[in-house]
Amino acid sequence: MLLQPRDHAPCRARRRALSAAAAVALAWWLPASAQGARNFPQAARPGRFAMRVFPEAALDGQPVRLAAGARIYDQRNMIVMPASLSGSFDALVERDPVGDISRVWLLTPEELRAAQARERERERARSAGSGR
């Protein structure tokens, strides 16, 4: 019995399609993981944030309230549900006009150092401006 030569074209096409899909997935994932620094609003202030029973929380040990529709972003900039948080976190906090917390960013150690440096600069500028 003679063996017929096997046509490898379908296998090659499948391999090419899988390679292309993997390349697209990698190209999509790399920019998201290489974003680097997140941009925070100037109004955001650093503090130690702890979630209590929603909508109650604590900021630097003082009781605060989360605004309706408040968003909490983790270190990967993904929104997290308040009920999933336990413990306290270094964070940047933005308040709404009423004084409730509208957005919270849980910080990485590098982001915390940058936020503290920015806050020190703000304090220096404020004290220099009032010294005139």
Side-chain angles (χ1 to χ4, degrees):
M1 176 172 185
L2 271 178
L3 293 175
Q4 296 293 325
R6 187 169 175 204
D7 184 14
H8 292 286
C11 292
R12 283 189 200 121
R14 192 173 322 146
R15 268 189 252 136
R16 282 189 200 122
L18 286 173
S19 295
V24 168
L26 185 63
W28 176 79
W29 177 78
L30 279 178
S33 65
Q35 281 179 7
R38 297 186 281 179
N39 293 321
F40 302 109
Q42 288 294 321
R45 298 288 183 254
R48 192 81 181 154
F49 178 80
M51 194 66 222
R52 304 286 185 240
V53 177
F54 183 80
E56 303 299 324
L59 184 62
D60 294 329
Q62 300 297 313
V64 292
R65 188 172 180 86
L66 290 179
R71 292 187 180 169
I72 301 172
Y73 299 94
D74 67 6
Q75 291 87 348
R76 296 175 299 152
N77 217 30
M78 298 184 72
I79 294 176
V80 294
M81 296 294 109
S84 68
L85 295 177
S86 63
S88 61
F89 303 89
D90 292 313
L92 278 179
V93 175
E94 185 179 52
R95 293 181 180 261
D96 66 7
V98 179
D100 293 340
I101 294 176
S102 59
R103 292 192 287 177
V104 177
W105 292 269
L106 306 180
L107 301 175
T108 64
E110 297 82 24
E111 290 170 336
L112 175 63
R113 285 191 289 278
Q116 289 169 336
R118 187 175 78 176
E119 196 65 19
R120 283 192 296 273
E121 277 300 314
R122 247 187 226 138
E123 290 297 322
R124 279 191 210 115
R126 195 174 303 137
S127 63
S130 63
R132 291 184 196 182

